[in-house]
Amino acid sequence: MLFRSEHMAEATIRGNQTIAYHLSGPEDAPVLLLITGLAGLKEGWFHQVAYFQKRCRILTFDNRGLGGSSLVESEATLADFAEDAVLLMDHLNIDAAHVWGVSMGGKIAQELALGWPERVDHVVLENTSAGEAHRVEGRQPSPLRAMQGADSETWLAQIVPLLFGKAYREANAKAMRAFARSRERRPPNPAAVDIQWNAYERFDSWERLPQLRHSVLCLAGAEDALCHPGNAERLAERLPMAELCIIDGGGHSVHIELPLLVNEAVAAFQIGRASCRERV
C-alpha cells in the first residue's frame, strides 16, 4: 500500500530547498509528525497513516535528498534535519505536533524536542539511541554502509536481516525479495546518504537528555539486530519522563512488522495525557 500521488505535496523552505510531504486527517485534530530513518522514505509509515488518520492529522515527509525532497549539497547535523521539520511545520501553519521517529528519525526527534521544545508534544523514540558513543551494540555487525551500490542479493543477505525481524522475513519472503530488487533498481541518492551517515555518526544527545521535559515513549523491537533494545532501556533511564515498551518478536522496523501492536501502544501512550508543552 502506497500513498496516492494526488495526496503528495511539496514545500519550499530556505529559499529553494524543497521538502516532499504527505498530510492527511481532520484539519482540527492533533498533528502526528512521523520521521523516517536513514535512507528511508515517507511511504514506510503507511500502516500508521491508515491507523491514526481518523483521530490525528498525519504529517510524513522525505528527509533532504531522498524521495521527492531536494538535496542540500553540504554537511549537516541531525539538528539541521530537525530544523527542516520545523520549517515544514511553519509552512503548514502547524504550531506543535506529537513526534514519532524511527532509528535515525528517532535521533532527529530528539533534536527537535531539545531544540524546539515548544513545537513538540509527546515523543515516541523507536529503535534508536542517544548516539554512537553511548550505544548498546547490535546483535550483528552493521554493513549498512554497503547499501550504496549493493545488488539485490547483498540487500537480501546482509541488509534486510538488519532491517526486519526473522519472523517477519520468513512470513514475507516474496515481499523481502521484491524489496531487495527495488532497492537495487532505485538506490537512494549516494550523496544524500553520505550526508545522513555523517550526521548520524556525529550525533550525541547523552548529556542533553535530562533537559528533555516531554513525555517520551521509548519503543523497541525485542529482536532488533541493528539497534539493540538495550538502547531503549538506556534512553528510558536517562530521560526524566519516559516509559519503556519492548515489542516481543519485533525487529528494527517493528512499526511495519507488527503495526497493530505498535500503533495500539502509541495510541495508549498519547491518549488521556495533558499537553507536554505546558511544562516546557
Side-chain angles (χ1 to χ4, degrees):
M1 175 182 174
L2 297 176
F3 307 140
R4 294 193 297 177
S5 60
E6 61 264 30
H7 291 168
M8 298 299 180
E10 186 178 273
T12 301
I13 63 173
R14 293 198 190 92
N16 61 357
Q17 181 185 352
T18 58
I19 298 290
Y21 69 91
H22 175 268
L23 183 64
S24 63
E27 291 189 5
D28 59 347
V31 177
L32 176 59
L33 172 65
L34 303 171
I35 308 178
T36 192
L38 195 148
L41 299 175
K42 60 186 175 300
E43 286 81 1
W45 292 106
F46 60 91
H47 287 301
Q48 286 62 52
V49 172
Y51 182 90
F52 285 100
Q53 66 182 352
K54 290 184 179 179
R55 69 186 81 181
C56 295
R57 200 171 189 206
I58 312 297
L59 176 59
T60 63
F61 67 100
D62 291 327
N63 285 313
R64 56 172 69 184
L66 275 295
S69 295
S70 63
L71 175 63
V72 180
E73 295 184 9
S74 63
E75 288 298 307
T77 66
L78 291 188
D80 295 323
F81 283 80
E83 187 177 38
D84 290 348
V86 172
L87 293 174
L88 175 60
M89 291 169 65
D90 289 345
H91 176 84
L92 296 170
N93 296 314
I94 295 171
D95 292 331
H98 301 294
V99 178
W100 179 353
V102 59
S103 193
M104 186 188 81
K107 297 178 178 181
I108 296 172
Q110 292 173 58
E111 292 287 7
L112 183 51
L114 287 164
W116 295 265
E118 74 284 357
R119 308 300 296 271
V120 175
D121 218 310
H122 306 100
V123 181
V124 179
L125 303 178
E126 177 189 341
N127 287 333
T128 192
S129 74
E132 296 302 289
H134 311 282
R135 187 174 186 268
V136 179
E137 289 300 320
R139 296 186 176 93
Q140 300 179 29
S142 174
L144 276 185
R145 275 196 179 270
M147 71 170 63
Q148 297 191 50
D151 59 24
S152 62
E153 292 306 314
T154 300
W155 268 95
L156 198 61
Q158 297 185 29
I159 302 172
V160 166
L162 295 176
L163 300 180
F164 301 96
K166 181 179 179 181
Y168 185 80
R169 297 197 313 272
E170 291 178 348
N172 298 275
K174 289 184 179 179
M176 295 293 94
R177 187 165 290 278
F179 171 75
R181 287 197 298 264
S182 72
R183 283 296 188 166
E184 179 182 13
R185 290 195 303 268
R186 293 184 293 276
N189 185 324
V193 174
D194 274 343
I195 289 171
Q196 289 193 7
W197 265 118
N198 292 334
Y200 178 97
E201 291 177 338
R202 294 198 306 269
F203 171 81
D204 188 337
S205 65
W206 185 256
E207 296 299 327
R208 296 176 289 153
L209 286 178
Q211 303 168 23
L212 204 157
R213 310 307 300 179
H214 304 76
S215 294
V216 181
L217 179 64
C218 300
L219 188 150
E223 307 303 322
D224 188 349
L226 181 60
C227 185
H228 193 284
N231 289 292
E233 296 173 357
R234 281 192 176 179
L235 286 170
E237 292 170 358
R238 186 73 171 164
L239 289 161
M241 300 183 62
E243 298 178 22
L244 178 66
C245 179
I246 307 295
I247 304 292
D248 289 341
H252 191 63
S253 302
V254 66
H255 65 287
I256 295 174
E257 300 168 45
L258 297 167
L260 184 57
L261 283 176
V262 171
N263 293 344
E264 288 180 344
V266 171
F269 166 70
Q270 291 177 335
I271 292 172
R273 283 174 165 78
S275 171
C276 292
R277 285 174 287 121
E278 296 172 2
R279 298 191 296 270
V280 300

